[in-house]
Amino acid sequence: MERTMKNGVILAIFSSLVFSIMNVLVKAVSETIPTAEIVFFRSFIGLIVIYILMLKSKVIFSRKGIPMLALRGVLGALYLLAYFHTIASIPLTDASILVHLSPVFVILLSAVFLKEKMSKRTFALLPLAFLGAFFLVKPFQYSSYSMDALIGILSALFAAGASISIRYLTKKHHAYEIIFYFLATATLVSIPLMWNQFVVPGAVELLYLSLIALVSLLGLVVLTKAFTHENVIVVEVVRYIGIFFNAVWGFIFWTEIPDLFTVIGGILIIAVCIALSRKKKEKTEQVKAEQGLVTKSS
């Protein structure tokens, strides 16, 4: 049991490393290739791979639940567009911190759409997370940088919406089918957006674009295995090491040094999300304990 948990943590760390490498590739190729085009190649190549996997695993397409699958696809496509734009426009560390706001939005969206209750402690923590986002957006500097950071916050919101839809879909649909709809929708959404600014990629750029698709799929596979080996909440907390990986790559390749506002904002967001995760873990353990008592009494 202990070895399994250890493997889960290692897989979670490795998945964060893989996704950070994807971010480096996105930022590098975005110097010559527009964001929508990067999303197109990432999605289209991934779509081919996932379809082959579906055929090999004999996963058939569902006839029911298509609207929700399409919604998950749209949310995922918007997340990719917003996140890739953010990576291309601001330091990797900042972009990584902002997308890690998604657990905060998951709580808010769950309260609105799933009618899940929020505790007083959660209400007290959420303003601190948004204060952290405020430091990262830096509205007091009145620059385009602020708008790019706001798009980063939107990417976290779209990621949260996609997460909630996945939570609903996994009850009735195979993971490959969910991913297929996500990639298919992202491919379709990106076509009109890149139509008037399409850049014919060179050999090196094609290599980067192909690697982005393959590396991101590898990250998804490793992350999925991490969830099967370890508690979901533990995995989510461990994945915050991805911010460190992105900071290292940003410094090595682009000499990016986080300023004081980024450090303060990052600490606030990470601390709040870890606190919320611990709260969720305590609640999960309490529910299990109550179920155990009910089982014993019956």
Side-chain angles (χ1 to χ4, degrees), residues 172-240:
K172 299 180 180 179
H173 300 273
H174 194 282
Y176 286 168
E177 184 184 20
I178 298 172
I179 295 172
F180 179 90
Y181 270 89
F182 157 48
L183 295 175
T185 306
T187 301
L188 293 173
V189 169
S190 60
I191 290 175
L193 295 176
M194 71 172 184
W195 197 259
N196 293 325
Q197 54 178 352
F198 185 81
V199 175
V200 179
V204 175
E205 292 163 333
L206 267 178
L207 175 63
Y208 278 15
L209 292 168
S210 300
L211 286 174
I212 288 168
L214 297 176
V215 167
S216 61
L217 278 177
L218 173 62
L220 282 174
V221 171
V222 175
L223 181 59
T224 301
K225 287 186 177 181
F227 282 128
T228 62
H229 282 77
E230 180 57 273
N231 181 286
V232 174
I233 298 164
V234 173
V235 172
E236 289 293 350
V237 171
V238 170
R239 287 182 68 203
Y240 278 95

Side-chain angles (χ1 to χ4, degrees), residues 242-262:
I243 295 174
F244 169 75
F245 291 141
N246 282 286
V248 171
W249 299 136
F251 177 76
I252 291 174
F253 295 112
W254 292 278
T255 323
E256 296 174 352
I257 301 175
D259 61 19
L260 181 61
F261 294 115
T262 294

Side-chain angles (χ1 to χ4, degrees), residues 39 70-81 158-159 161-162 165 182 185-186:
V39 171
L71 176 62
R72 184 272 180 268
V74 170
L75 290 170
L78 293 174
Y79 156 71
L80 274 186
L81 287 164
F158 292 136
S165 63
F182 157 48
T185 306

Side-chain angles (χ1 to χ4, degrees), residues 31-65:
E31 294 175 3
T32 52
I33 303 295
T35 300
E37 190 174 339
I38 299 173
V39 171
F40 169 78
F41 277 99
R42 186 262 193 229
S43 305
F44 183 67
I45 295 171
L47 184 65
I48 295 172
V49 175
I50 202 68
Y51 183 64
I52 293 172
L53 291 175
M54 287 182 72
L55 292 176
K56 285 188 174 183
S57 302
K58 297 180 180 180
V59 177
I60 60 174
F61 289 101
S62 306
R63 295 184 179 181
K64 297 181 179 179

Side-chain angles (χ1 to χ4, degrees), residues 121-155:
R121 179 182 173 185
T122 301
F123 269 116
L125 287 170
L126 290 180
L128 292 177
F130 290 113
L131 179 61
F134 176 84
F135 280 114
L136 287 167
V137 172
K138 302 178 179 68
F140 37 79
Q141 290 187 354
Y142 300 103
S143 65
S144 58
Y145 181 97
S146 298
M147 284 305 300
D148 293 327
L150 284 172
I151 293 173
I153 293 175
L154 275 179
S155 74

